[in-house]
Amino acid sequence: MSAADDGARCGRDELMEVNAARALGGAKTCFVGIGLPSTAANLARRTVNPDLVLVYESGTIGSRPTRLPLSIGDGELADTADAVVSVPEMFNYWLQGGRIDVGFLGAAQLDRFANINTTVVDRGPDRPEGRLPGAGGAPEIAANCGEVFVVLRHTRRNLVPALDFVTTLGHGTGPGDRAALGLRGAGPTTVITDLGVLRPDPDTAELVLTALHPGATVEQARAATGWDLRTAPHLTTTEAPTDAELAALRALKAAPAPPGTGRATPQALRLEKPR
């Protein structure tokens, strides 16, 4: 099947989400961020890693939601969990105790050393700064999980030469910064976008393009990156999503939210013919 055929059967977001789920194939525990990370983690549990233990910041351990949770406070996370602990216990014992394999985060801005901004963005002269959701548990997740995966869309607005605000430390300014601060985890090891996969260079810690999704090009990735993006010596192409992966992803997204939550499925958003 050609790259064009792959593009016809799935969109760029689906390429990103499936590959983000695949990255969790070998993980035992995942500290899940809301949004794209939650989509990837829940898809992974339905496909490549049925035994994956999903951990959310609100204190739920081993959640098995039947739909995408609306937030870390979604009741189904607690209803389907193996255990629910207090937030202080979650952070002090489970996270800072080094008991979580992978932290999965999103980002509004990401720089070449995988530092993350989810706090505030500069919107230009004579315009108020743009306020974002904030840190949540991301700084602690990035500091203490065994490693960190990041998922975000590949645009120059998201992959920037310099962050407007450093919310979460990735690799700082390069090798040695994490160790100097006493951070236990390896930090960001994989960044999945809708164009490909980036990983830190082992010598410089700068993110390097290591794989492209079907249909994407190096030129396209470089044009969508705010710094001079380097490529790995042996650039690979990710495998196209299988029919089973796409079916699982689409079913997960289509699962309805409880009545009164204000989130509709795509089917519910279809307009009726005028009467």
Side-chain angles (χ1 to χ4, degrees):
M1 183 176 290
S2 69
D5 292 332
D6 290 333
R9 58 193 285 273
C10 66
R12 281 174 47 170
D13 273 8
E14 291 179 322
L15 285 167
M16 171 176 59
E17 290 156 346
V18 167
N19 278 279
R22 289 171 176 171
L24 290 167
K28 293 182 179 179
T29 53
C30 179
F31 206 118
V32 189
I34 287 296
L36 289 172
S38 189
T39 302
N42 279 280
L43 179 60
R45 201 181 61 76
R46 287 162 171 77
T47 54
V48 296
N49 194 346
D51 296 325
L52 180 64
V53 177
L54 304 185
V55 179
Y56 284 82
E57 187 179 334
S58 52
T60 61
I61 300 172
S63 293
R64 301 175 182 85
T66 61
R67 54 176 172 76
L68 292 177
L70 300 176
S71 72
I72 60 170
D74 192 310
E76 196 180 25
L77 292 177
D79 291 342
T80 62
D82 293 328
V84 180
V85 302
S86 68
V87 173
E89 179 181 332
M90 173 60 71
F91 279 84
N92 293 335
Y93 180 79
W94 295 97
L95 184 56
Q96 294 176 1
R99 292 173 170 84
I100 308 294
D101 294 342
V102 177
F104 216 140
L105 300 174
Q109 289 183 333
L110 189 81
D111 70 11
R112 70 179 66 210
F113 295 112
N115 301 301
I116 292 172
N117 173 24
T118 53
T119 301
V120 64
V121 293
D122 182 0
R123 300 201 302 165
D126 303 320
R127 299 189 67 188
E129 59 188 12
R131 291 284 179 173
L132 303 173
E140 289 79 13
I141 293 168
N144 294 286
C145 287
E147 60 182 321
V148 174
F149 298 162
V150 183
V151 57
L152 77 168
R153 293 178 180 87
H154 206 135
T155 71
R156 294 182 73 89
R157 189 171 74 170
N158 294 340
L159 277 70
V160 297
L163 300 183
D164 293 333
F165 185 93
V166 179
T167 306
T168 302
L169 189 77
H171 296 287
T173 59
D177 279 13
R178 292 184 62 85
L181 292 170
L183 305 184
R184 73 161 66 237
T189 59
T190 305
V191 176
I192 304 105
T193 77
D194 54 347
L195 293 179
V197 180
L198 294 78
R199 293 187 172 90
D201 181 279
D203 296 321
T204 67
E206 180 177 328
L207 291 174
V208 174
L209 183 68
T210 60
L212 287 166
H213 298 321
T217 66
V218 171
E219 293 74 21
Q220 188 178 12
R222 284 176 171 162
T225 305
W227 66 85
D228 185 13
L229 180 64
R230 296 190 294 117
T231 60
H234 303 289
L235 190 64
T236 62
T237 301
T238 63
E239 293 184 10
T242 65
D243 290 340
E245 286 173 322
L246 289 175
L249 174 60
R250 291 165 183 173
L252 181 63
K253 289 183 174 181
T261 58
R263 189 182 75 180
T265 65
Q267 291 81 3
L269 291 174
R270 291 173 182 166
L271 296 179
E272 294 183 357
K273 294 180 180 179
R275 297 185 181 183

